[in-house]
Amino acid sequence: MEENRKIRLGISIGDLNGIGCEVALKSFEDSRMLDFCTPVIFASNKTVSFQMKQLKLNIVFNGIPDASKAIDNKINIVNVWKEMPRIDFGQSTKEGGEYAIKSLRAAVAALNKGDIDVLVTAPINKNNIQSEEFKFPGHTDYLAQELDGESLMFMVTDTLKVGLLTDHVAVKDVSAAIIPRLIRDKINTIEKSLMMDFGIRKPKIALLGINPHSGDNGVIGKEDDEVMKPVIKEMSNMGHLVYGPYSADSFFGSDGYKKFDAILAAYHDQGLIPFKTISFGQGVNFTAGLSKVRTSPDHGTAYEIAGKGVADESSFKEAVFMALKIFKNRTEYEELTKDVLKKQRLKRER
């Protein structure tokens, strides 16, 4: 990152027929937001102008050919395409999916080149993005391929952090997918993220059981006893502060989650239902474990209100602030660990 410039925050526009463009633009409608970062939206001048007219937004932006030309203190629009795509607010269309992926691909390419520092992704429709060229169930899987590291879907606020052992996996396939190696990898990823991205020196992590009541000692399934418990014991013996498996039905209602820095849920809805119930509108989806920082709001395309100008940008704005916070924490962590390694090397040389 160049000296004396603000953090460049890339934004992939998401489904053009949803609320992605609206919440992104509304987040930076207040010019004070430009004090924190330089937004770079991957779409086109024509597309953004159309959205602004429809949503009755009055925002000045700066059109640029690529992200490296972004100017601080302005909203920058990278012209990824020249034509004007058809926009049908509230409808799931093939074209809507195609342009969502064009925006995403361009943003990720800029992220890998270092033209932007972090990425916030507006919501996509997992159905209309599918094509011969793009066969991923969502952002997380695509980013795991394009960016180095082991990805972890991590839903976060300042006070609640929930990671997933399995994310976009059908419920019928969850038990087979949860094997000892996966559990070890996800524990290591979530622990490293808590230290590096959130500044927690010795993280304390809870794991939720796979079966109701964590299997009731084998009465309702053996996976918790035969797969999860041995790995938790092994990791604990190695010095990791990992506990469980806890029965998911009472864990959140009893405020058990407040005793831990993060919770690792066995599958998607087990983790996301309580997370969104407790923190809807304030939560952020963070892809932990990757070489670059990516966040997104905790909601979808919201077709039912798209184009009406009533979408709440709170979660998107939280995703912006979380991306900036994680980027700064990670930069500081890397500097500190460099210093430690340098001191250790000098000590050995003496």
Side-chain angles (χ1 to χ4, degrees), residues 184-240:
R184 290 189 202 99
D185 289 347
K186 295 297 183 181
I187 289 173
N188 284 325
T189 300
I190 201 170
E191 185 180 68
K192 184 177 180 181
S193 178
L194 289 167
M195 291 189 291
M196 182 170 68
D197 301 325
F198 298 96
I200 300 170
R201 293 186 64 184
K202 193 66 176 175
K204 188 178 179 184
I205 302 163
L207 275 76
L208 301 183
I210 301 169
N211 296 298
H213 307 295
S214 297
D216 258 348
N217 296 314
V219 175
I220 318 176
K222 301 181 184 298
E223 292 87 352
D224 295 283
D225 287 340
E226 296 179 357
V227 181
M228 293 197 82
K229 286 182 181 179
V231 177
I232 292 171
K233 184 178 180 181
E234 171 197 324
M235 298 291 282
S236 181
N237 290 340
M238 292 169 63
H240 301 272

Side-chain angles (χ1 to χ4, degrees), residues 49-115:
S49 295
F50 177 88
Q51 293 263 354
M52 285 171 49
K53 184 178 179 181
Q54 176 72 24
L55 300 166
K56 297 180 173 57
L57 296 174
N58 184 22
I59 297 172
V60 177
F61 62 81
N62 175 51
I64 53 177
D66 63 77
S68 67
K69 304 295 191 296
I71 298 174
D72 286 343
N73 303 313
K74 292 183 181 294
I75 298 172
N76 297 272
I77 310 294
V78 175
N79 281 283
V80 180
W81 54 83
K82 294 179 180 178
E83 68 280 6
M84 180 60 203
R86 180 180 175 84
I87 296 177
D88 295 305
F89 286 113
Q91 303 299 314
S92 173
T93 66
K94 181 181 178 182
E95 196 168 11
E98 287 173 351
Y99 281 88
I101 297 309
K102 284 183 180 182
S103 174
L104 178 62
R105 286 190 187 279
V108 171
L111 188 63
N112 270 323
K113 284 177 63 181
D115 290 340

Side-chain angles (χ1 to χ4, degrees), residues 300-332:
T301 55
Y303 285 142
E304 67 278 7
I305 60 170
K308 297 177 181 178
V310 297
D312 185 345
E313 71 275 17
S314 299
S315 184
F316 194 92
K317 196 175 282 189
E318 288 295 329
V320 169
F321 285 127
M322 187 64 72
L324 300 177
K325 179 180 178 180
I326 291 170
F327 180 80
K328 290 173 183 176
N329 285 345
R330 189 175 287 193
T331 302
E332 184 177 321

Side-chain angles (χ1 to χ4, degrees), residues 140-141 143-144 148-156 161-167 182-183 185-194 197-198 205 262-265 284-290 294:
T140 304
D141 304 86
L143 293 167
D148 294 332
E150 295 291 332
S151 68
L152 170 81
M153 189 172 178
F154 206 7
M155 306 299 293
V156 299
K161 296 173 176 61
V162 179
L164 302 180
L165 277 175
T166 61
D167 39 55
L182 176 73
I183 301 171
D185 289 347
K186 295 297 183 181
I187 289 173
N188 284 325
T189 300
I190 201 170
E191 185 180 68
K192 184 177 180 181
S193 178
L194 289 167
D197 301 325
F198 298 96
I205 302 163
I263 298 95
L264 196 50
V284 174
N285 181 357
F286 166 48
T287 307
L290 299 180
R294 172 263 175 168

Side-chain angles (χ1 to χ4, degrees), residues 131-148:
S131 68
E132 286 302 312
E133 292 75 36
F134 194 93
K135 297 180 179 179
F136 299 92
H139 282 118
T140 304
D141 304 86
Y142 173 69
L143 293 167
Q145 173 186 283
E146 297 298 312
L147 306 173
D148 294 332

